Amino acid sequence: MVIRWLRFVVCCWALWWAPGAAVFAQQDAGEAQGLRIERTEDGLYLGASFDFTLPDLAEDALHKGIPMFFVMEAQVRRDRWYWSDRVVAEATRYLRLSYQPLTRRWRLSTSSVPFTNSGLGVVLGQNFDELDEALSAMRRVIRWRIGDADVLEPNAAHTVQLRFRLDMSQLPRPLQIGAVGRSDWNLLVFRSQRLPSRAQP
């Protein structure tokens, strides 16, 4: 009797959860195009362009004066056949997009540390007249230093992973509660690219 009841609960949960999971998989994906890695004497640099659409609910919240927070994460992993890949470089960039109703202008702030701790790092700010201009700036990554020059080991294969997402944890508490289980808040762009191994000079 207990086993039958458990099976019934599991089936009901699967029927309830599956449609939401399918929508999440369809709507949260974007694309990172033209992922480029440049190795110079002073570091390893990443460049890319994103192709994503801001969720309608996020745009509505922005127009009401609620800032949106985003996180961009990059990792370089060294392939290892005998164990999980080893992370040899990683970097994180935090972005805050806000609308100023009085001036009717958009502001994009970028920091290397979370904005809750922004006093510990440098925050760069840009102002825009239109939302599309601010989003265009968010979609471009130019010469982002993600590691030292010597992290790419000779005669070894490496993989670069780049992820860009809307930081739901930074939303006001009522929005966080309302966003639970809603796919129309999702924004996640992911790209992975293999780097050819370099021969020992």
Side-chain angles (χ1 to χ4, degrees):
M1 192 68 179
V2 174
I3 295 177
R4 288 182 180 178
W5 182 82
L6 288 174
R7 287 178 179 173
F8 174 77
V9 171
V10 170
C11 289
C12 290
W13 179 87
L15 290 173
W16 176 82
W17 176 253
V23 173
F24 180 91
Q26 292 169 2
Q27 296 190 8
D28 70 344
E31 185 178 356
Q33 302 173 335
L35 186 60
R36 303 173 300 279
I37 295 295
E38 178 186 0
R39 181 180 180 179
T40 65
E41 293 182 355
D42 61 332
L44 190 66
Y45 292 87
L46 181 147
S49 58
F50 295 107
D51 183 13
F52 66 84
T53 301
L54 195 66
D56 290 339
L57 290 179
E59 185 172 342
D60 290 343
L62 282 167
H63 281 286
K64 294 175 181 177
I66 302 174
M68 292 291 113
F69 295 83
F70 305 85
V71 180
M72 188 183 305
E73 300 162 308
Q75 279 191 345
V76 180
R77 295 172 173 265
R78 181 190 183 279
D79 295 0
R80 294 193 294 190
W81 63 268
Y82 58 89
W83 199 250
S84 58
D85 296 344
R86 176 171 172 257
V87 177
V88 297
E90 58 184 339
T92 305
R93 178 178 287 183
Y94 301 89
L95 301 97
R96 178 179 60 199
L97 179 61
S98 59
Y99 177 63
Q100 308 296 329
L102 294 178
T103 61
R104 296 184 178 180
R105 304 196 73 191
W106 298 86
R107 182 166 181 81
L108 177 62
S109 303
T110 306
S111 174
S112 59
V113 298
F115 284 95
T116 53
N117 302 320
S118 58
L120 301 177
V122 177
V123 178
L124 302 177
Q126 297 174 276
N127 293 316
F128 302 92
D129 293 327
E130 302 292 339
L131 175 59
D132 288 343
E133 297 175 357
L135 292 177
S136 294
M138 291 175 60
R139 294 185 181 114
R140 295 192 305 270
V141 183
I142 302 174
R143 284 185 60 82
W144 179 24
R145 191 179 189 278
I146 61 173
D148 297 328
D150 58 354
V151 297
L152 298 182
E153 302 175 27
N155 301 315
H158 298 78
T159 301
V160 180
Q161 294 182 348
L162 178 63
R163 188 170 72 155
F164 178 84
R165 60 182 173 86
L166 174 64
D167 188 0
M168 306 291 288
S169 67
Q170 294 283 355
L171 294 175
R173 181 63 61 179
L175 288 183
Q176 286 188 39
I177 297 173
V180 173
R182 298 191 60 175
S183 60
D184 41 7
W185 271 106
N186 297 327
L187 174 58
L188 173 62
V189 183
F190 180 80
R191 176 73 181 272
S192 179
Q193 181 170 306
R194 295 279 299 227
L195 298 179
S197 59
R198 300 174 65 253
Q200 180 73 45

